[in-house]
Amino acid sequence: MNKNYIISSSITLLGIFFAFALFSFELKRYQTLPLIGTYVFLFILIWIWVKKYSSIGNIFFLGIICRLIFWNYIPNLSQDFYRFIWDGSIQLFGINPYHYTPNEIIDLVGFPNSQLLFEKMGNLSRNNFSNYPPISQCLFALAANFNSENIFTPILCIRSVYLVSEMIIFFVIKSLLEKLILSKEYLAWYFLNPLVIIEGYGNLHGECLMMCFTFISWLYCIKRQPILGGIFMAFAIGTKLLPLILVPFFFQYLGLKNFIVYGVFILIFGGIIFLPYWDENFFPNYLQTIQLWFSTFEFNGSIYNIIRAIGYKLKGYNIIKDIGKITPYLISVFVFVFSFIKSNREPKDIFKNMLFILSIYFFCLNNSPSLVHY
């Protein structure tokens, strides 16, 4: 290992650590240009590092170190975690988080930081029912056990679970890439991805845990083990609903018999996961919240603003609510075409088609409350 190699790799690493530290200690969500600039800087540095200096071991340890930079970080690019702790805390009082909006019960509950959580979660969250599925709710309840005068302790609880999840993801992706005979660089582009690290581990979005279950499910599906694939997919859907639209993509690869087994175990374990929270209020309240993703939430700002401008130009009003009514059906058509009509007989074809559908989903859907939701 020559001197120039050591110097150049060290400078690259220092630049990566410095940029992540900026996100952790300095940058605020309203600083748009510095945020974009730092993201671009990070992607360039990581691209250089992956091309020149990466190995499986280096990818793992660098990914862990970059995540640990956010260990003491209270998220400031997202306020979702306030709702996480709120949902968990009311569960400790025996209150179903799908029954009431925070506005309805703020005067009826008293737990550490309740007023702070209520104020900081934002008006959108205060006025709507929880949209986080049961596995996420269980994690929130676990974290709420550590809720005290110091709000940082439940954050550390969630972050610890996510760190373990990310470690598992690393080795599962490694196994997937070996099965698919693909380069280790693909592993780096997940495990070192600044958006994944900052928005997942840093800002505590639940996709860390969701992707852990999803990758495990995919690995078992690729091995044609539909029972275990179905069980872990149920856990993924029980964490975030997004993997639900990816279930049909394994139909051709697994074959009819195995796919039925896969689907049955998703239904069985999905039912078990949702059962503790299920009553007459669950479905209408949860459905109401899901509908907001397509018709009310305005997080996908660029596309939202374009559609809104067109609506005002042609109709004289904001047409998002009208478009939101047909968006789920549009996405369903695309899922059907790319699951059952397009070829999905090889794993690489499956993942390419999944990528296309997810791209359509995120472009069509009028939501993404942060810079990334996998």
Side-chain angles (χ1 to χ4, degrees), residues 140-364:
F140 303 159
L142 173 65
N145 281 285
F146 300 94
N147 185 21
S148 60
E149 295 304 319
N150 183 2
I151 198 172
F152 188 61
T153 48
I155 291 175
L156 280 184
C157 176
I158 297 173
R159 190 161 283 152
S160 298
V161 172
Y162 286 176
L163 183 61
V164 174
S165 300
E166 293 278 71
M167 290 180 179
I168 294 172
I169 285 174
F170 178 89
F171 293 103
V172 174
I173 294 179
K174 180 176 178 292
S175 297
L176 272 171
L177 292 176
E178 289 170 354
K179 293 285 290 184
L180 300 176
I181 317 176
L182 292 173
S183 168
K184 67 178 183 297
E185 284 188 17
Y186 291 99
L187 174 56
W189 284 119
Y190 175 86
F191 205 65
L192 300 180
N193 192 308
L195 288 170
V196 172
I197 294 172
I198 294 166
E199 288 298 326
Y201 186 76
N203 288 316
L204 297 181
H205 289 118
E207 283 78 7
C208 291
L209 189 57
M210 177 199 80
M211 289 309 301
C212 179
F213 293 129
T214 302
F215 280 126
I216 296 173
S217 173
W218 287 347
L219 181 60
Y220 281 120
C221 286
I222 295 300
K223 293 179 177 180
R224 290 189 168 89
Q225 298 181 33
I227 294 176
L228 289 172
I231 291 171
F232 280 101
M233 182 53 69
F235 277 93
I237 295 167
T239 306
K240 302 279 282 190
L241 295 183
L242 179 59
L244 189 60
I245 69 172
L246 304 177
V247 168
F249 283 85
F250 282 97
F251 173 74
Q252 295 179 33
Y253 181 80
L254 291 175
L256 179 60
K257 181 180 177 180
N258 279 339
F259 186 77
I260 290 174
V261 173
Y262 176 59
V264 166
F265 274 85
I266 291 174
L267 289 174
I268 291 173
F269 279 83
I272 293 171
I273 289 167
F274 279 85
L275 185 61
Y277 294 91
W278 191 278
D279 59 21
E280 69 277 4
N281 294 313
F282 173 84
F283 186 75
N285 290 350
Y286 200 62
L287 182 62
Q288 177 181 324
T289 303
I290 292 174
Q291 289 172 338
L292 295 174
W293 298 356
F294 296 93
S295 61
T296 301
F297 293 169
E298 303 177 6
F299 304 112
N300 198 348
S302 57
I303 295 175
Y304 172 84
N305 288 328
I306 292 171
I307 295 174
R308 182 176 61 181
I310 293 172
Y312 278 115
K313 185 73 173 178
L314 299 179
K315 297 287 189 177
Y317 64 92
N318 189 349
I319 61 173
I320 283 294
K321 289 186 181 294
D322 296 335
I323 293 177
K325 294 176 182 177
I326 66 170
T327 303
Y329 301 104
L330 178 64
I331 292 173
S332 298
V333 170
F334 276 108
V335 170
F336 178 83
V337 170
F338 280 84
S339 298
F340 299 105
I341 298 178
K342 292 277 288 184
S343 175
N344 286 300
R345 299 190 182 280
E346 296 296 328
K348 290 181 182 179
D349 294 329
I350 293 172
F351 293 121
K352 286 178 183 177
N353 288 330
M354 282 183 178
L355 176 61
F356 187 82
I357 283 298
L358 286 173
S359 300
I360 292 174
Y361 173 80
F362 287 124
F363 278 118
C364 288

Side-chain angles (χ1 to χ4, degrees), residues 62-108:
L62 178 57
I64 296 301
I65 292 170
C66 290
R67 284 164 173 80
L68 290 178
I69 291 173
F70 291 89
W71 183 253
N72 292 321
Y73 170 68
I74 295 180
N76 62 31
L77 298 180
S78 170
Q79 59 202 44
D80 291 356
F81 75 96
Y82 293 108
R83 182 61 184 263
F84 300 167
I85 302 171
W86 171 278
D87 280 1
S89 297
I90 64 172
Q91 289 181 73
L92 300 185
F93 284 83
I95 299 173
N96 189 321
Y98 304 109
H99 276 198
Y100 306 100
T101 67
N103 266 339
E104 293 174 333
I105 58 173
I106 180 59
D107 295 326
L108 304 177

